Amino acid sequence: MPSDAPAPAAKPFGSVFGKYMASAVFDGEAWSNPAMVSTKELVLHPGTHALHYGSSCFEGLKAHRQPDGTVRTFRASRHADRMHSSAQRLMLPPPPPHLFETMVNETVANNAAVTPEPPGSLYLRPTLLGTEQNIGAAARPSRTALFYVLASPVGQYFSGGPLRLAIETKLPRTTPQFGMVKTGANYAMALGVLHEAKQRFGADQVLFAPSGYVEETGAANFLVLAGDTIVTPPLSEGYLHGVTRDTILSVATTLGFSVDERPLGVPELLELASSPDTEVVLSGTAAIVAPVGTLIHEGTEHVVGGAEHGSRTAKIRAHVTDLQQGIVARPEGW
Ligand SMILES: Cc1ncc(COP(=O)(O)O)c(C=O)c1O
């Protein structure tokens, strides 16, 4: 069935919404059966736990139109697992992975008609909120919760060219215990740092490298394509375990890359980046891979690699989009 979706490309990513979302509540003991509801304003009590004490987390994944016209999610189970662990860290009732996947699939089915043709897709935003109405509950978790899956038809995410990244070695993106949690406060914490880097250096993003070792940016993972080796920091509790990062590393060998997961200090990064054979990219669900053109360290600009390149970045992007769009077969369970 071809899409009858209006092209969302003209609107900013994430600002157009599908009409339907799956929704379920946890009443303190069990999850309700999911319902399909209209995407409209939520009715929340002003004393809702999430509004005061930050008990909320979310996921971000995509569903893509396949060659036979059906719409299929990409690696939803991995996102279900990540939300489960985010919820546990926030002391929220975790939606069981089968509930997560059922609600994501139902949301996709109900919004399939507005899912654009590739390179567009349906971006999905599963969201979990602590809903207990109690402003005296700062020191204990919300007993109740709301879980919904919002849908947004999106076009291709254009970054507008290679990014300028300011390297931040003093401030962390978030606290150590929340690095791998996808919760709003982490993004709020990075905003001021990003704002300053934009003002001072015209930076697009900040690469957080607390203690001098690279972690990630405010909303993406970080990879260096040094010749045919992908160098990236090893997973730690300090940063978000990106599904796109995992996808890239999983298919690296097929694409002729070797993978070197190791701590990457800023001096070594700058040295690697100066080689004409190096490309630097950010990875994430929205953009898949976004090329980095300039690293800014202590006010000095370092241009990445040679001028006109990007063939390795393009090769990775093409393979990941082929997997997502069902043009090449996916590994079992993806
Ligand atoms: C802080 C942060 N790191 C990394 C990522 C990349 O994760 P993924 O590839 O699962 O989208 C994201 C995007 O969700 C993010 O917000």
Side-chain angles (χ1 to χ4, degrees):
M1 180 183 69
S3 165
D4 60 0
K11 302 265 189 172
F13 186 98
S15 65
V16 176
F17 298 101
K19 271 197 189 146
Y20 305 103
M21 58 183 206
S23 177
V25 292
F26 186 81
D27 64 3
E29 284 175 10
W31 283 98
S32 67
N33 287 327
M36 193 55 57
V37 300
S38 299
T39 304
K40 62 175 174 110
E41 289 73 14
L42 297 175
V43 179
L44 291 175
H45 189 276
T48 293
H49 199 274
L51 300 178
H52 298 264
Y53 303 123
S55 54
S56 70
C57 58
F58 61 93
E59 267 307 315
L61 69 158
K62 282 179 176 168
H64 305 264
R65 198 168 281 285
Q66 307 292 296
D68 65 0
T70 57
V71 180
R72 189 171 165 202
T73 55
F74 188 66
R75 305 200 70 186
S77 67
R78 188 91 185 190
H79 291 275
D81 292 344
R82 192 168 67 185
M83 170 157 271
H84 200 273
S85 91
S86 289
Q88 282 179 323
R89 291 257 164 152
L90 290 159
M91 306 294 290
L92 278 164
H98 68 86
L99 179 70
F100 179 105
E101 288 196 54
T102 300
M103 288 174 60
V104 163
N105 288 337
E106 287 178 1
T107 303
V108 170
N110 279 273
N111 293 289
V114 297
T115 302
E117 298 289 340
S121 59
L122 191 66
Y123 181 80
L124 298 151
R125 175 52 65 87
T127 307
L128 179 66
L129 304 176
T131 49
E132 188 167 332
Q133 300 168 8
N134 185 347
I135 53 172
R140 65 165 182 77
S142 174
R143 295 191 181 101
T144 58
L146 168 67
F147 177 51
Y148 60 86
V149 181
L150 187 59
S152 174
V154 293
Q156 195 170 16
Y157 191 96
F158 287 112
S159 67
L163 299 168
R164 293 169 58 80
L165 281 198
I167 303 176
E168 170 61 54
T169 52
K170 294 190 183 71
L171 293 171
R173 183 181 80 94
T174 176
T175 60
Q177 73 270 34
F178 274 7
M180 52 188 283
V181 176
K182 205 158 164 62
T183 188
N186 285 349
Y187 299 84
M189 269 188 267
L191 282 182
V193 184
L194 178 55
H195 180 74
E196 195 180 328
K198 277 188 177 161
Q199 301 275 17
R200 289 183 62 195
F201 309 121
D204 299 300
Q205 300 283 340
V206 170
L207 173 63
F208 289 90
S211 326
Y213 283 88
V214 170
E215 285 188 339
E216 63 175 341
T217 67
N221 292 128
F222 184 80
L223 302 102
V224 178
L225 314 179
D228 290 333
T229 304
I230 301 178
V231 185
T232 193
L235 292 180
S236 76
E237 298 230 330
Y239 75 92
L240 196 78
H241 299 184
V243 179
T244 315
R245 173 191 181 279
D246 184 78
T247 301
I248 294 168
L249 299 192
S250 304
V251 300
T253 321
T254 315
L255 297 179
F257 292 98
S258 57
V259 175
D260 193 1
E261 286 182 88
R262 63 178 160 85
L264 184 57
V266 173
E268 189 194 350
L269 165 63
L270 296 178
E271 198 185 317
L272 278 177
S274 68
S275 159
D277 216 19
T278 294
E279 296 172 36
V280 172
V281 294
L282 302 184
S283 75
T285 296
I288 306 171
V289 280
V292 174
T294 309
L295 295 166
I296 306 156
H297 181 237
E298 293 175 346
T300 304
E301 301 207 1
H302 303 259
V303 175
V304 176
E308 294 301 318
H309 65 188
S311 60
R312 296 188 191 94
T313 306
K315 186 175 177 184
I316 292 173
R317 168 191 292 281
H319 191 74
V320 176
T321 53
D322 282 354
L323 287 164
Q324 292 174 329
Q325 294 163 14
I327 293 162
V328 299
R330 299 178 187 187
E332 187 69 27
W334 284 23

